[in-house]
Amino acid sequence: MTLPVDDLSKDLDGLTDRLTTQVRTLTLGLLAFTAGILGGVFGFSSKEAHPALPHWAQVNLLLVAVCLFLVLLADLLQCVLSIRATEKTIQDAEEKIEQKEISDDATILYDYGLWEYRWATYLFWGKVWLLSLTTMWFAIITFLYCIRHLQ
């Protein structure tokens, strides 16, 4: 099966948009769940007795929450750097059009050498990997707590 480059580019755009949406959804959901557990354990919601959670689990859940905030920060920075890279590409194209180096309907490619583009790419894959590892870490913490608690 052969596809034109434009079709492949559109497919890639759709896949990265979908992956970013899934990253944000999972991050916020897991952060809300973790905050709910910690809020109940630390008694933020009321002055009544609250459930006890072992210290190791509390520390690990706090670290999971920190990692989830880092995922959201990486997502924000990736978006900002992507916008900057796009703006620079547009500015370069407009300058070339004014200087009559290219026509108005020319196809423009990103300058993959831009530091903004490179860092946006690193942050995109970094947030995906950090969320994957954090989710596995949360699952392991939950599993260990259940094993110790049910004995």
Side-chain angles (χ1 to χ4, degrees):
M1 180 167 101
T2 58
L3 292 173
V5 174
D6 288 342
D7 289 349
L8 289 173
S9 180
K10 288 177 186 173
D11 287 348
L12 183 61
D13 284 344
L15 291 172
T16 56
D17 285 346
R18 199 170 339 148
L19 183 58
T20 295
T21 300
Q22 290 174 346
V23 164
R24 290 174 185 160
T25 303
L26 181 57
T27 300
L28 291 173
L30 194 54
L31 187 59
F33 190 71
T34 303
I37 292 171
L38 290 173
V41 168
F42 293 140
F44 294 143
S45 58
S46 69
K47 296 192 187 263
E48 297 174 12
H50 44 80
L53 193 63
H55 182 69
W56 66 267
Q58 292 177 17
V59 170
N60 278 290
L61 286 176
L62 281 172
L63 292 174
V64 164
V66 168
C67 287
L68 292 169
F69 277 114
L70 290 175
V71 169
L72 291 174
L73 179 62
D75 184 54
L76 175 66
L77 291 175
Q78 182 237 328
C79 290
V80 169
L81 290 175
S82 295
I83 290 170
R84 286 186 49 115
T86 302
E87 287 173 344
K88 282 188 176 185
T89 302
I90 291 170
Q91 287 174 351
D92 290 345
E94 287 174 345
E95 288 174 8
K96 289 179 181 179
I97 290 170
E98 284 179 15
Q99 297 171 357
K100 306 287 186 198
E101 293 178 22
I102 59 174
S103 65
D104 289 344
D105 60 347
T107 301
I108 306 299
L109 296 175
Y110 280 102
D111 179 5
Y112 299 118
L114 288 173
W115 70 267
E116 291 94 341
Y117 185 86
R118 286 194 316 266
W119 275 98
T121 303
Y122 298 150
L123 287 168
F124 175 80
W125 290 111
K127 73 182 179 184
V128 170
W129 279 104
L130 182 57
L131 178 60
S132 300
L133 294 173
T134 303
T135 303
M136 287 188 288
W137 186 9
F138 180 80
I140 291 168
I141 294 166
T142 304
F143 180 71
L144 290 175
Y145 176 78
C146 289
I147 287 176
R148 291 180 180 184
H149 185 70
L150 296 176
Q151 288 181 342

